[in-house]
C-alpha cells in the first residue's frame, strides 16, 4: 500500500525557459556560421600558420614568461604578505605601499617604464670601476617583461596570500597551541589546509590573467606569441588570420590551466576535509598525552 500511495513529484513546465534556450542556441549558431563563412576569414592561412615555427617560438616565450613570473611573483607575494601581517609597523607600512603602487599603475605603463629604464639610468654598476654596463644591454624586451609582470603579480599575490592566512580562525590556532602543537605541526595541520582552500581559487585565476597579460609584452617587443603574430602580419597583411592563430593558442592555454586549477581545488578540498582527523602514526601532543 505504501508503494501505491507514494507521491511522485513532477517537474513544473517551464516553456519560457525552453523558448529562451532555443533562441540563445539559434543566435549562437548564427554568429558562429556568419564568422566561419565570412570570405574575409582565410582559414587556409590560419591552418598554415597555426603550427609555424615562428608561432611556436612565440608560444614558448609566452609560457616561459608566465611560469617564471608566476613563481617569482608568488614567492615575492608571500614575503610581502608576511611583512603585511608582521607586528612591525614599518614592515607592514612598506608592504602596503608596495601593493598600493603596483596595483594602481597599469601593467602596460609598468612594462614601458622598465623597457625605457635606460633613459633614467643610462649605466648600471659602480662608477669608476669596470663593473659598469649599458642599461639597454641588460634590460631587453624579455627582461623588462619579467620585471614588469613579476612585480605586478607580486602585489596581487600578496593580497591573495594575506587574505588566505587571515581567513583561518584565530581560535583554532590558539587551541592548537594550547594542545602543545609546535609551529611546523600547527602550520601543516591547521593553517595551511584551511588557507590553501582560500588561496588556490584566486591564485589560479590570477595565473590565468597573467597568461593573457603576457600579450601586453608585444608593446615592448618581448618576442611573445602576440609579438610574433604581429611581426608576421606586418609582412603579409593577414591581420585577422594571425590574430585568430594567436587567439586559438590563448584559448588552449587558458582551457588547460582552468582544468588543472579545478583538479587542484578538488584535491585540496579532499585533503583539507581529512586534515583534522587524527593519524595513528602521529604522537599526541603533550597536553593530551598527559590527560
Amino acid at each position: 500500500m505504501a508503494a501505491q500511495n507514494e507521491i511522485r513529484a513532477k517537474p513544473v513546465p517551464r516553456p519560457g525557459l525552453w523558448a529562451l534556450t532555443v533562441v540563445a542556441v539559434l543566435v549562437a549558431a548564427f554568429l558562429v556560421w556568419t564568422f566561419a563563412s565570412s570570405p574575409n576569414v582565410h582559414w587556409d592561412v590560419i591552418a598554415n600558420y597555426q603550427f609555424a615555427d615562428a608561432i611556436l617560438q612565440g608560444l614558448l616565450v609566452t609560457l616561459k614568461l608566465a611560469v617564471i613570473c608566476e613563481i617569482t611573483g608568488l614567492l615575492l607575494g608571500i614575503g610581502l604578505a608576511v611583512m603585511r601581517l608582521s607586528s612591525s609597523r614599518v614592515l607592514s607600512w612598506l608592504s602596503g605601499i608596495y601593493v598600493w603602487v603596483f596595483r594602481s599603475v597599469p601593467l602596460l605603463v609598468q612594462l614601458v617604464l622598465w623597457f625605457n629604464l635606460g633613459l633614467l639610468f643610462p649605466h648600471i654598476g659602480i662608477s669608476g670601476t669596470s663593473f659598469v654596463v649599458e642599461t639597454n644591454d641588460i634590460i631587453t624586451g624579455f627582461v623588462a617583461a619579467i620585471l614588469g609582470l613579476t612585480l605586478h603579480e607580486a602585489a596581487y599575490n600578496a593580497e591573495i596570500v594575506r587574505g588566505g592566512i587571515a581567513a583561518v580562525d584565530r581560535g583554532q590556532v590558539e587551541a592548537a597551541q594550547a594542545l602543545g602543537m609546535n609551529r611546523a605541526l600547527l602550520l601543516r595541520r591547521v593553517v595551511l589546509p584551511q588557507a590553501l582552500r582560500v588561496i588556490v581559487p584566486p591564485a589560479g585565476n590570477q595565473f590565468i590573467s597573467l597568461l593573457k597579460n603576457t600579450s601586453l609584452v608585444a608593446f615592448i617587443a618581448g618576442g611573445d606569441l602576440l609579438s610574433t603574430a604581429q611581426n608576421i602580419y606586418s609582412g603579409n597583411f593577414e591581420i585577422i588570420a594571425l590574430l585568430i592563430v594567436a587567439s586559438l593558442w590563448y584559448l588552449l592555454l587558458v582551457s588547460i590551466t582552468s582544468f588543472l586549477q579545478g583538479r587542484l581545488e578538488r584535491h585540496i578540498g579532499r585533503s583539507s576535509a581529512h586534515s583534522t582527523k587524527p593519524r595513528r602514526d602521529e604522537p599526541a601532543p603533550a597536553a593530551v598525552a598527559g590527560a
Side-chain angles (χ1 to χ4, degrees):
M1 294 295 295
Q4 295 179 356
N5 296 331
E6 182 180 357
I7 299 176
R8 297 183 179 180
K10 294 183 178 180
V12 178
R14 306 174 69 179
L17 179 61
W18 281 101
L20 181 61
T21 302
V22 172
V23 172
V25 171
L26 291 176
V27 171
F30 172 76
L31 293 176
V32 170
W33 173 254
T34 302
F35 175 79
S37 60
S38 174
N40 297 321
V41 179
H42 302 158
W43 293 104
D44 55 334
V45 178
I46 296 173
N48 186 37
Y49 282 99
Q50 192 67 55
F51 296 96
D53 292 339
I55 292 294
L56 294 180
Q57 287 295 328
L59 177 64
L60 181 61
V61 172
T62 292
L63 291 174
K64 287 181 179 179
L65 285 174
V67 173
I68 292 174
C69 295
E70 177 63 22
I71 294 175
T72 54
L74 183 58
L75 293 176
L76 182 56
I78 292 174
L80 290 169
V82 173
M83 290 173 58
R84 191 70 180 274
L85 297 173
S86 173
S87 57
S88 172
R89 291 187 177 182
V90 176
L91 293 178
S92 180
W93 180 78
L94 290 175
S95 176
I97 292 295
Y98 178 95
V99 172
W100 170 63
V101 171
F102 284 92
R103 289 178 64 186
S104 301
V105 180
L107 177 56
L108 181 57
V109 176
Q110 297 181 41
L111 291 172
V112 175
L113 283 173
W114 281 110
F115 186 65
N116 293 280
L117 186 64
L119 299 177
L120 182 61
F121 302 105
H123 306 282
I124 295 179
I126 302 176
S127 60
T129 65
S130 58
F131 299 99
V132 178
V133 295
E134 294 286 339
T135 302
N136 291 332
D137 294 338
I138 298 178
I139 307 298
T140 62
F142 186 79
V143 174
I146 290 179
L147 290 172
L149 291 173
T150 295
L151 298 177
H152 179 266
E153 286 299 302
Y156 284 90
N157 286 331
E159 291 299 283
I160 291 173
V161 174
R162 184 180 68 87
I165 295 176
V168 179
D169 187 6
R170 183 62 186 173
Q172 298 187 32
V173 176
E174 294 175 352
Q177 291 174 339
L179 291 175
M181 285 190 178
N182 55 37
R183 284 183 173 270
L185 185 60
L186 173 64
L187 185 66
R188 180 168 60 89
R189 294 297 305 277
V190 179
V191 177
L192 279 182
Q194 299 182 68
L196 283 177
R197 288 187 298 175
V198 180
I199 292 174
V200 168
N205 293 335
Q206 187 62 32
F207 179 67
I208 291 175
S209 297
L210 173 61
L211 272 174
K212 295 182 293 184
N213 286 336
T214 55
S215 61
L216 296 176
V217 178
F219 287 88
I220 58 173
D224 66 308
L225 178 59
L226 183 58
S227 299
T228 305
Q230 287 179 335
N231 292 335
I232 295 175
Y233 72 60
S234 63
N236 60 11
F237 302 103
E238 292 286 352
I239 299 176
I240 299 299
L242 269 301
L243 289 178
I244 292 176
V245 168
S247 298
L248 291 176
W249 280 117
Y250 285 121
L251 283 171
L252 179 62
L253 292 178
V254 172
S255 299
I256 294 175
T257 304
S258 300
F259 172 77
L260 295 177
Q261 177 187 357
R263 295 290 298 271
L264 181 60
E265 290 180 11
R266 288 191 293 270
H267 175 73
I268 291 178
R270 290 194 299 267
S271 300
S272 59
H274 300 285
S275 62
T276 55
K277 295 182 180 180
R279 293 173 51 184
R280 296 181 180 179
D281 58 343
E282 187 173 272
V288 178

